[in-house]
Each structure stands twice: as structure tokens, then as C-alpha cells.
Amino acid sequence: MSAKAVPTEDPSADEALVRSLLADQRPDLAGAELRVVDGGWDNRMWRLGSDLAVRVPRTPRAPELLRKELRWLPSLAPELPLPVPVPVHSGAPSPGFPHTWTITTWVPGEPADRAALRDPRSARILARFLSALHHPAPDDAPTDTQRGVPLSEVADGFEELLRRGAVHGDLDRVGAVWERARAAPAWDGPPVWLHGDLHPANVVGADGVLTGVIDFGDMCSGDPATDLSAAWLLAPSGSVDHFFSEYARADEAAVLRARGWALLRCQGLIEIGRAGEAGLPGGKPTWKGPALEALSRVLSSSP
């Protein structure tokens, strides 16, 4: 998982602000029930009524991420077999709030960093979702220097930690998994659509079953291995093979690269979780436990 700017709360981004934005731009919704939702990184979110959500930026990069979702997600969503937060209103910058904000559909369910996806069916559901998403992207699709690229392009920081022995998990095993991933042949197909940031806080479930995927701000195009890391990050223990059997399009090289991506993301999620336990800004204490479980799956799986 790539480093992100630590989110800082804007004290003006409160219910009163959201109410004023709605009154100004969507008066038809201004009287609906509004409840702040715990979680999120780049955006603060409120549930609006029973079936909508308001997302307001809280990091410098967040407005651009929202504009990306506004541009691409409405056309992708109908092709996907799970609910996703489809933008229904683009909030224009105004004197009261000089940034883009959005209203989206509400995706029901409990985030998986708070209620794990324990039902084995989730592996195949996730694989079907990614099979539907991973089709060739248009030439003007967004790219990302930290996602969908060869592992060699994001390796420096992690390999320095590895040399210093400052990684989570058994050092020899971590090194062996990473070396196999780095040595795997590169993706040679067309860039495909990627979610870009699949981890437990960005999916929701009910009764242990995956029911929705959220937060597409990092969507981009590139090597599907970035997203296939979700086989370890999200699928229940013992179901990685079921995931790849259902996905059916990943050769051995893709699986090796995906496991390398999973290793990177686990390390980042654990650090964010530890920061949360320490009460540091931007920390998410609920991320540590699922990431440690995922790391165990990464290090115990084959190849």
C-alpha cells in the first residue's frame, strides 16, 4: 500500500456545512436525515436518507479523486455484479466550500475491517466482481504511479525496509515471497480497469459475505495483479484457490505478482493500524488485525 497524506479534519466540514451545501445545490434533499459515517481516508462521509451518501473532501488530493469517480464510475457500474457507490450529483465548488463534493448511492453493509468476510462464498463473489471489472480500459483512462505498474517501480522503499529487517512477518519468508514476485514475468496484456485500493475498509459485507465494493477514488488502468492481491487481503482463509479458479484468467506469473502486491499492502495496512492504536493522526486501529491475518495467508500460501 502506497504512502498517503495524513488526513486532517477541517473543522468547517461538519453537518452544518453539508446542510448548507444541500440547501444551495440540492434543496430537494436538504431535509433528509443526515448521519456522519465513521471511516474513510480522503473523504468524510454522511449517510443521506436511506439510500444516498454525501462525500466531502478532507485531503488535498480528494477533490481530484472524486472527479475521477464522477467521470468513470457511472459507465462502469452497470457492468459490475456488486453494488458500488454510483455518483448521482456533482457538488460544485462554492464560496462556502471551494472544492468538488459528491452525492452517491449508498452501498449497504458493514466494512470488512470491522466485520470480516468469513463466508467462503466471498472468494468467488470477489473473483466474479474483478472478472467483470478487469476489461481493457480506454486510452484516456487514468493511470497511477503506485498501482497497476511493475513491482520494480514501487519496490525501493519496501526493499530498503527488507534490508534493514524492518518488515512484518518472518523475514526469510517475506524475502522469499518478494523475490518470487519480483522475478515473475511482467504483465504483457492491455491495461485493464482496476479498483486500485482493495482492502478490508473498502468493501462491505453482511453475515460474513461480500455484498459491495466502495471507494473507487484510486481507480486506474494497468496490470490486474494489483487488484488480484485481494485474494489474500479479502478472501477468507483457505479460499485463495477458489478465488483464482473462479477468476480463471490469472497465469502463474500473475498470481506471483499479485502475492507481491498483497505483501506490500499488508505492510502498509499494519502500519496504519499501529498508528491508530497509538492515537496518531490518520491511524486506523481496525486495519491492523485484518492486515495481520492477510499477511499470514500471504506467507503460508503457495506458490
Side-chain angles (χ1 to χ4, degrees), residues 38-52:
D38 186 27
W41 186 279
D42 291 289
N43 298 282
R44 197 172 189 199
M45 186 163 66
W46 286 261
R47 186 169 182 178
L48 180 63
S50 61
D51 58 359
L52 295 173

Side-chain angles (χ1 to χ4, degrees), residues 169-212:
D170 178 82
L171 186 60
D172 290 340
R173 186 61 175 156
V174 169
V177 169
W178 181 248
E179 285 306 311
R180 293 201 69 187
R182 284 272 266 137
W187 170 249
D188 60 1
V192 301
W193 276 116
L194 307 176
H195 177 280
D197 200 24
L198 285 171
H199 62 77
N202 284 344
V203 300
V204 297
D207 299 321
V209 179
L210 176 65
T211 58

Side-chain angles (χ1 to χ4, degrees), residues 92-106:
S94 64
F97 190 73
H99 304 293
T100 299
W101 55 281
T102 62
I103 301 175
T104 72
T105 55
W106 174 257

Side-chain angles (χ1 to χ4, degrees), residues 12 101 130 194 212 221 224 261:
S12 68
W101 55 281
L130 290 179
L194 307 176
S221 60
W261 278 105

Side-chain angles (χ1 to χ4, degrees), residues 32-204:
E33 182 183 8
L34 195 64
R35 289 174 286 160
V36 68
V37 178
D38 186 27
W41 186 279
D42 291 289
N43 298 282
R44 197 172 189 199
M45 186 163 66
W46 286 261
R47 186 169 182 178
L48 180 63
S50 61
D51 58 359
L52 295 173
V54 177
R55 299 176 74 202
V56 176
R58 64 175 178 178
T59 66
R61 73 180 199 135
E64 180 55 37
L65 302 185
L66 292 178
R67 286 190 287 270
K68 192 193 310 185
E69 292 183 353
L70 285 161
R71 167 69 176 85
W72 296 105
L73 201 49
S75 61
L76 286 174
E79 305 173 16
L80 303 176
L82 288 174
V84 300
V86 182
V88 299
H89 175 77
S90 175
S94 64
F97 190 73
H99 304 293
T100 299
W101 55 281
T102 62
I103 301 175
T104 72
T105 55
W106 174 257
V107 180
E110 185 73 10
D113 62 318
R114 300 170 184 271
L117 304 175
R118 301 295 186 192
D119 193 308
R121 289 176 292 174
S122 294
R124 295 190 183 276
I125 294 170
L126 176 63
R128 288 193 291 271
F129 176 85
L130 290 179
S131 291
L133 177 63
H134 288 170
H135 61 266
D139 291 342
D140 58 343
T143 58
D144 193 303
T145 60
Q146 299 295 313
R147 297 166 172 84
V149 297
L151 282 169
S152 60
E153 296 185 17
V154 294
D156 289 351
F158 177 71
E159 291 183 346
E160 173 60 25
L161 292 175
L162 195 58
R163 284 191 291 270
R164 289 167 30 209
V167 295
H168 300 281
D170 178 82
L171 186 60
D172 290 340
R173 186 61 175 156
V174 169
V177 169
W178 181 248
E179 285 306 311
R180 293 201 69 187
R182 284 272 266 137
W187 170 249
D188 60 1
V192 301
W193 276 116
L194 307 176
H195 177 280
D197 200 24
L198 285 171
H199 62 77
N202 284 344
V203 300
V204 297

Side-chain angles (χ1 to χ4, degrees), residues 38-39 110-115 200-201 269 272-274 276-277 283-292:
D38 186 27
E110 185 73 10
D113 62 318
R114 300 170 184 271
L269 292 166
I272 293 171
R274 290 178 65 183
E277 291 180 336
K284 302 286 185 181
T286 59
W287 291 19
K288 179 181 173 183
L292 287 170

